[in-house]
Amino acid sequence: MIVARTLEELRAACSDLPRPLGLVPTMGYLHDGHLSLVAAASRDCPAVGVSIFVNPSQFGPGEDYESYPRDEERDLKLLRSAAVDVVWLPQVVDLYPETFQTWVEVEEVTRRLEGAHRPGHFRGVTTIVAKLFHAFGPQRAYFGQKDAQQLVVIRRMVADLSFPLEVVSCPTVREPDGLALSSRNSYLDERERAAATVLIRALRSAVRAHKGGVRQADKLRERMEEVLAEQPLAKVEYVSIADPVTLEELEGEVDTALLSMAVYFGSTRLIDNMIIGDVSLGG
Ligand code: AMP
């Protein structure tokens, strides 16, 4: 496995790799969710690249950029075991030098859900992902359904800017009790960790209700809110039943929908989602 730190090292490494090259962008502190993306890339592609970069421009003021968990040595060990071909660990000053002033911004689909509560977040995400696409030149890029809106936004960017690559969506990997794996789960204390299972209960309750014939978006939203309200440690930021392609909030009867939520447990903000119906995020 080549460990590249500069753009020049990365480009030299990538030019020797067979194609298609599959890219898995991450912020590190890897868990089985990240590794499932690497496994999917390995199945599809003769060469796999991973980036590890905690991207400052996607964190808002007061968010957890400084405290975001980092463990480079452990990450590299995991990626070696996963037979990754090249890892890029760029420096902040190299990606965002003082002269930096060019941003990639997707409009409509970034205004809702996460975008409504984290202003500037997706501008940071799309800018860094565009830079990663230019740096690696992958033919396929792998993203988790865990960050559903991110997938929709990146699909939009790839289509609008004609990046010559395919975006692949991978299912959310969960703990045995249903909590979605996330680097941020490491912030939770024991009580908060136990309380956080309410997220999957709320999602499953709405999915079950829909299967049982409850098709009104309002009723499904209420169902999720009721389950979340049973857990006093859960402070809800939003609960949404949205169109999986446009991310517009749905009213009336729904056949397909993205069920999603952001909930605080103490100072830790967790997101989770599920999809109703046979539909792919972002179309
Ligand atoms: P992050 O390091 O949090 O930026 O995540 C890097 C990639 O891993 C993103 O495409 C995430 O959607 C994906 N990811 C994070 N958690 C999970 C999970 N539990 N299951 C599947 N993919 C995940």
Side-chain angles (χ1 to χ4, degrees):
M1 183 173 84
I2 294 174
V3 179
R5 296 201 179 261
T6 65
L7 181 58
E8 292 67 33
E9 286 166 1
L10 175 73
R11 289 227 164 106
C14 288
S15 69
D16 290 340
L17 291 175
R19 302 283 155 158
L21 168 63
L23 170 62
V24 179
T26 83
M27 297 205 297
Y29 211 70
L30 302 178
H31 51 62
D32 284 347
H34 298 113
L35 296 178
S36 76
L37 270 49
V38 172
S42 303
R43 278 194 297 273
D44 296 347
C45 308
V48 176
V50 174
S51 60
I52 298 179
F53 182 64
V54 184
N55 173 37
S57 72
Q58 70 188 69
F59 290 79
E63 290 188 357
D64 55 344
Y65 173 66
E66 300 295 341
S67 58
Y68 196 84
R70 295 161 167 88
D71 190 342
E72 183 182 309
E73 206 178 307
R74 181 174 165 276
D75 287 349
L76 290 177
K77 217 158 134 188
L78 287 169
L79 295 177
R80 260 191 205 101
S81 311
V84 165
D85 297 275
V86 57
V87 183
W88 191 31
L89 299 130
Q91 296 292 313
V92 174
V93 286
D94 291 335
L95 288 187
Y96 298 106
E98 262 182 34
T99 49
F100 188 86
Q101 51 189 292
T102 304
W103 298 94
V104 178
E105 197 155 359
V106 172
E107 296 187 347
E108 285 292 313
V109 290
T110 62
R111 298 211 174 109
R112 314 169 206 288
L113 305 173
E114 288 298 283
H117 294 90
R118 302 184 68 189
H121 169 67
F122 284 115
R123 182 177 92 139
V125 169
T126 41
T127 301
I128 193 65
V129 171
K131 284 169 74 78
L132 293 172
F133 286 170
H134 285 309
F136 280 84
Q139 282 66 51
R140 297 168 75 92
Y142 294 78
F143 293 88
Q145 191 204 304
K146 163 76 176 23
D147 298 281
Q149 188 175 15
Q150 174 170 277
L151 240 159
V152 173
V153 168
I154 288 180
R155 285 220 158 109
R156 190 72 264 139
M157 175 185 83
V158 163
D160 290 352
L161 298 185
S162 311
F163 278 96
L165 59 88
E166 184 185 344
V167 173
V168 182
S169 164
C170 298
T172 301
V173 177
R174 299 178 180 280
E175 299 282 6
D177 67 4
L179 180 67
L181 298 191
S182 163
S183 308
R184 290 190 169 103
N185 292 350
S186 63
Y187 299 149
L188 300 170
D189 69 22
E190 215 173 302
R191 284 176 65 231
E192 292 162 349
R193 170 65 187 79
T197 56
V198 73
L199 299 179
I200 188 73
R201 284 203 304 282
L203 290 166
R204 284 185 181 146
S205 172
V207 170
R208 240 189 345 260
H210 187 264
K211 281 203 183 110
V214 180
R215 307 191 86 77
Q216 292 290 329
D218 283 353
K219 292 273 175 274
L220 297 170
R221 223 175 271 119
E222 264 170 39
R223 183 64 65 105
M224 291 202 285
E225 283 163 356
E226 279 162 17
V227 176
L228 291 167
E230 288 164 14
Q231 174 46 256
L233 292 184
K235 304 283 175 246
V236 177
E237 187 168 68
Y238 68 81
V239 167
S240 159
I241 309 281
D243 183 290
V245 177
T246 64
L247 303 185
E248 275 173 47
E249 213 49 37
L250 292 171
E251 302 299 333
E253 293 210 347
V254 301
D255 291 326
T256 61
L258 171 66
L259 281 47
S260 67
M261 53 182 67
V263 179
Y264 279 92
F265 297 87
S267 55
T268 304
R269 183 178 184 278
L270 298 183
I271 57 171
D272 202 353
N273 71 82
M274 275 191 183
I275 296 172
I276 286 179
D278 186 18
V279 63
S280 72
L281 284 167

